[in-house]
Amino acid sequence: MRPLPILAALAVATALPASAQVQPGATAPDFTTVGALAGKQFRLNLKAQLKKGPVVLYFYPMSFTPGCSAEAQAFAAATPDFKAAGATVIGMAADDIEKLKDFSTKDCASKFAVARATPEIIRGYDVALKRNGTETGLASRTSFVIAPDGKVVTANVPSWPAWSGRRWHRIEADAYADGNESDHQALTL
């Protein structure tokens, strides 16, 4: 497995305008927070996760809402492809740990971890969801691919409806897994 070419293919394949402060090439802010996987609570540290390989860190507003549930289900369906590429998927929301534990078993199908996006983490990644210019305390829907060295490979703020997320994540995982950038680009046109 060649992680750098795979990450490069993903970076090109998902190159959409990003408005997140943490841009490709920047060092991702490290954090420690509480997470849940398969209903079990644990302490999640980004640096420790990166020792295992690249991380797909995706922020979403709130568990058990239609768009966020659809996105989690899409990531759950694509998790085997991300794992085949050596990547770990982690969802981040400002929800309390009890809600995250429940979400990790239901919409995440116990296939990947979700963790609490504290106000500090939301600020660090500049992913605050705003309504009428005012921060809501929630995270905006934003995904980052972070290389094992802690550098951000891609930052993606999707501009399409949540229902298309299932197709996008499936294709993104396929490109990530096989590193075939030209096939991925053809599929997304």
Side-chain angles (χ1 to χ4, degrees):
M1 181 180 317
R2 301 178 326 252
L4 291 179
I6 292 170
L7 285 171
L10 181 60
V12 171
T14 60
L16 294 174
S19 63
Q21 181 182 31
V22 183
Q23 294 294 311
T27 298
D30 188 27
F31 60 84
T32 300
T33 190
V34 64
L37 176 62
K40 305 286 188 225
Q41 182 175 329
F42 70 99
R43 192 164 177 81
L44 185 138
N45 174 259
L46 179 62
K47 190 179 227 178
Q49 294 296 314
L50 290 169
K51 288 180 182 177
K52 301 174 191 174
V55 169
V56 177
L57 185 69
Y58 86 93
F59 290 85
Y60 63 97
M62 188 183 301
S63 300
F64 297 115
T65 58
C68 297
S69 289
E71 185 175 31
Q73 291 163 11
F75 268 113
T79 296
D81 297 318
F82 283 113
K83 283 185 179 181
T88 300
V89 174
I90 302 169
M92 301 287 295
D95 298 324
D96 65 53
I97 190 59
E98 292 307 314
K99 190 172 191 180
L100 291 170
K101 285 165 55 176
D102 195 26
F103 193 67
S104 75
T105 62
K106 293 180 178 167
D107 289 338
C108 302
S110 299
K111 293 189 176 183
F112 65 92
V114 288
R116 175 142 171 75
T118 64
E120 295 78 20
I121 296 168
I122 291 171
R123 275 193 300 278
Y125 282 84
D126 193 21
V127 294
L129 180 64
K130 296 179 182 175
R131 298 242 191 257
N132 301 321
T134 303
E135 290 186 11
T136 62
L138 304 175
S140 63
R141 194 175 312 282
T142 309
S143 299
F144 298 92
V145 175
I146 306 169
D149 67 359
K151 300 290 184 188
V152 173
V153 178
T154 64
N156 183 353
V157 180
S159 58
W160 51 84
W163 59 264
S164 66
R166 182 177 305 273
R167 179 177 177 273
W168 179 80
H169 289 301
R170 178 92 234 152
I171 293 170
E172 179 182 62
D174 291 345
Y176 191 85
D178 68 24
N180 193 335
E181 157 187 332
S182 60
D183 283 353
H184 179 73
Q185 289 173 334
L187 288 170
T188 58
L189 294 177

